[in-house]
Amino acid sequence: MTTLIDKQAVQDYVGFEPAPTEWLTISQERINQFADCTLDQQFIHVDPERAKETPFGSTIAHGFLSLSLLSHFAEQYSVIIKGFYMGINSGFDKVRFLAPVKVNSRIRAKAKILSITETKPGSFRVSTEVTLEIEGEEKPALVAEWISIQMVA
């Protein structure tokens, strides 16, 4: 659930951890579509029969597919400053892929706001640590420090 905050209260949200997002199932169809889009057709992603012979025992999602889904999850955990009219992806300070996401696994995101800084009037740099959990697994799929810019009127 998006949290709406006042400009004057941004520092009160440093360290804030919204509720985890809803679960999302990673189907073979989604993996195949990502493979087609990125031209990454490695068998571990798109050939279920060959993938059975690997240590994973099935196909796995591309790490970049998991990372790209953070945009989907962000709508559920974001802290939005009142007057927001545009968001800009500024990149990542850190990304680590820690565990594979096997086909038909369910994933969700947990977030923690690391910092919110007004870099110039109406422009706020938001640093968020995002952990992508795999249902039933101890180790997360990835941990990333995502930087975004919120333009606020």
Side-chain angles (χ1 to χ4, degrees), residues 13-15 93 112-117 124-130 144-149:
Y13 286 86
V14 172
D93 276 348
K112 179 179 181 180
I113 305 301
L114 299 177
S115 65
I116 305 174
T117 307
F124 291 82
R125 181 180 192 266
V126 181
S127 176
T128 307
E129 180 184 81
V130 186
E145 188 174 320
W146 191 6
I147 310 303
S148 60
I149 306 296

Side-chain angles (χ1 to χ4, degrees), residues 51-115:
K52 284 180 187 176
E53 299 170 13
T54 70
F56 306 117
S58 70
T59 55
I60 60 172
H62 304 71
F64 286 135
L65 169 56
S66 300
L67 184 65
S68 72
L69 287 169
L70 296 186
S71 294
H72 162 73
F73 289 120
E75 292 182 11
Q76 297 177 50
Y77 69 70
S78 290
V79 169
I80 301 295
I81 302 164
K82 288 181 183 174
F84 171 90
Y85 65 89
M86 181 173 60
I88 300 168
N89 180 358
S90 190
F92 294 88
D93 276 348
K94 178 177 84 171
V95 176
R96 294 290 180 262
F97 299 105
L98 303 173
V101 177
K102 294 180 182 180
V103 67
N104 297 321
S105 294
R106 293 190 341 147
I107 59 173
R108 72 176 180 183
K110 286 178 44 178
K112 179 179 181 180
I113 305 301
L114 299 177
S115 65

